Amino acid sequence: MPIVPEGEIQAIIDRVRARIGEMGDTSLVATRELEEASRAELGDGIHPTVDAAVDAAARAFRAYQSVGLDGRRRIIDSIRSAMLAEAERLARMAHAETGLGRF
């Protein structure tokens, strides 16, 4: 069973996309490659197979390359904001999974 509930990862992706859209560059969230790379049927993880995960990563990387430096900054800033908002919960989950660190 995944540690992160199945729908939660998609919710995080949706929040990051919304923040990027709020920054005024909707082309970042509208690229076909980014859309396809983020969709997957859930199996034991985010993607049903390792090959599907690798294919999704390759498509996302190609889309990311075409975004440009300013767009990449916006994406990374959005990811950073989402991660900071969930930092304590993610740290607790990492600690529970690995036993490393203290809580």
Side-chain angles (χ1 to χ4, degrees):
M1 173 173 240
I3 292 176
V4 179
E6 292 177 0
E8 193 166 338
I9 292 170
Q10 186 61 49
I12 292 168
I13 291 168
D14 293 342
R15 285 195 306 269
V16 168
R17 285 183 175 163
R19 287 180 184 154
I20 292 169
E22 288 168 6
M23 291 180 212
D25 192 350
T26 55
S27 66
L28 295 178
V29 291
T31 61
R32 182 178 202 152
E33 292 85 2
L34 283 173
E35 290 292 324
E36 289 176 1
S38 68
R39 286 190 202 124
E41 291 184 28
L42 295 175
D44 289 338
I46 305 307
H47 298 278
T49 66
V50 172
D51 287 341
V54 170
D55 290 342
R59 286 191 310 273
F61 182 70
R62 285 191 300 274
Y64 186 73
Q65 285 179 309
S66 69
V67 169
L69 187 58
D70 187 52
R72 291 177 191 187
R73 268 193 209 106
R74 290 178 185 193
I75 291 169
I76 291 169
D77 286 346
S78 292
I79 293 169
R80 183 181 297 117
S81 293
M83 296 298 289
L84 288 172
E86 301 292 332
E88 184 172 342
R89 188 173 66 80
L90 292 169
R92 288 183 184 281
M93 289 169 55
H95 173 71
E97 183 176 343
T98 66
L100 300 174
R102 287 186 258 175
F103 271 98

